[in-house]
Amino acid sequence: MMQHYRSNHPNHVHQLVASVSKHYYAGKDGLLKYQDKPFETSLAKLVGASRSHMVIYSLRDHYSKLFYAEVGFGPGMPSMRAFLARAWRPKPDQPDLPLCGVPELMLIPKTAQAAFPDVVTDIEHMGVGLVDVASGFQSGIQDINTVENSIGHYIGKPIDQVVSYLPTLSGWRAKYKKSTKEKSKADVWREHVPAIRLLPKSWAETPAAEPV
């Protein structure tokens, strides 16, 4: 088991994170709700949960720190295979987010591997290696926190508005610069990415956050 890891270029290592929101859920009226006391629901317990919890999926390129995120709502988990198809495909409709292509290696926490064993097998069949690390998911968790901290203004609004907003958030974060002298994450990705390996056509894509 690796204690530390590094990436050499964009699309060398991608981090996949799936997490049940600690605070957000869909009300019976179809509107986004917020509970101040954190939920203790996990991916493993999502199907039997009494609420329609929000689930956050995030894929991050470790080198450039670009990330692509989506949200869905329980009780069924959104399709992880479809999420990865959208994360890895070229995005001509999102010019600010150049992230696309299959990585050489992936970091997937044990909780996500247990929740999506078929997808993990499919990833390995594509020749993508799984890196077993003791720690290092702080950056992926940071993306989850970014999502949670960015949707407060959607409380009380239809959940489909939240679902539609997430790709926009990923694009905005990709082009963000702290100063005019700094390169954006999108700039770093474009300047250093090698040949892009596109996703096989056998990976079917379905609408965003479709329950399974």
Side-chain angles (χ1 to χ4, degrees):
M1 179 179 291
M2 295 173 59
Q3 298 295 323
H4 304 283
Y5 60 89
R6 61 180 298 176
S7 51
N8 300 324
H9 52 75
N11 286 3
H12 182 202
V13 181
H14 285 180
Q15 296 172 277
L16 176 66
V17 178
S19 178
V20 180
S21 173
K22 294 292 186 182
H23 300 282
Y24 290 98
Y25 65 100
K28 294 181 179 179
D29 54 4
L31 304 181
L32 184 67
K33 308 292 184 181
Y34 179 91
Q35 177 174 298
D36 189 56
K37 181 180 179 181
F39 294 117
E40 299 299 331
T41 304
S42 64
L43 291 174
K45 299 178 181 179
L46 188 64
V47 174
S50 59
R51 295 182 186 273
S52 178
H53 293 276
M54 187 176 79
V55 185
I56 307 168
Y57 292 168
S58 175
L59 185 81
R60 165 183 278 238
D61 176 64
H62 184 256
Y63 185 90
S64 66
K65 299 180 177 58
L66 279 180
F67 78 94
Y68 176 83
E70 291 182 2
V71 297
F73 293 86
M77 283 188 289
S79 169
M80 176 59 75
R81 187 184 179 94
F83 166 75
L84 287 173
R86 291 186 290 274
W88 285 335
R89 69 169 173 81
K91 305 170 184 61
D93 56 329
Q94 295 175 260
D96 294 326
L97 184 61
L99 178 65
C100 68
V102 178
E104 298 173 31
L105 302 171
M106 284 195 73
L107 301 169
I108 307 177
K110 297 297 185 182
T111 52
Q113 290 189 39
F116 309 101
D118 293 342
V119 174
V120 172
T121 300
D122 291 342
I123 289 171
E124 291 180 312
H125 284 169
M126 284 195 298
V128 178
L130 292 183
V131 181
D132 193 12
V133 295
S135 62
F137 283 97
Q138 290 85 357
S139 55
I141 294 172
Q142 178 183 349
D143 296 335
I144 298 297
N145 292 335
T146 295
V147 171
E148 294 233 10
N149 293 335
S150 300
I151 62 172
H153 56 291
Y154 284 100
I155 296 173
K157 296 182 179 180
I159 59 173
D160 60 350
Q161 293 186 19
V162 187
V163 173
S164 299
Y165 168 68
L166 261 292
T168 302
L169 172 65
S170 300
W172 183 84
R173 297 289 295 184
K175 67 179 182 179
Y176 174 74
K177 298 180 182 181
K178 292 182 180 179
S179 70
T180 55
K181 297 181 180 180
E182 182 183 73
K183 292 182 179 180
S184 70
K185 297 178 178 65
D187 292 335
V188 172
W189 193 92
R190 292 187 180 102
E191 290 179 12
H192 297 280
V193 68
I196 297 172
R197 179 188 173 194
L198 295 179
L199 191 68
K201 293 182 179 179
S202 58
W203 273 66
E205 184 174 345
T206 53
E210 179 178 336
V212 295

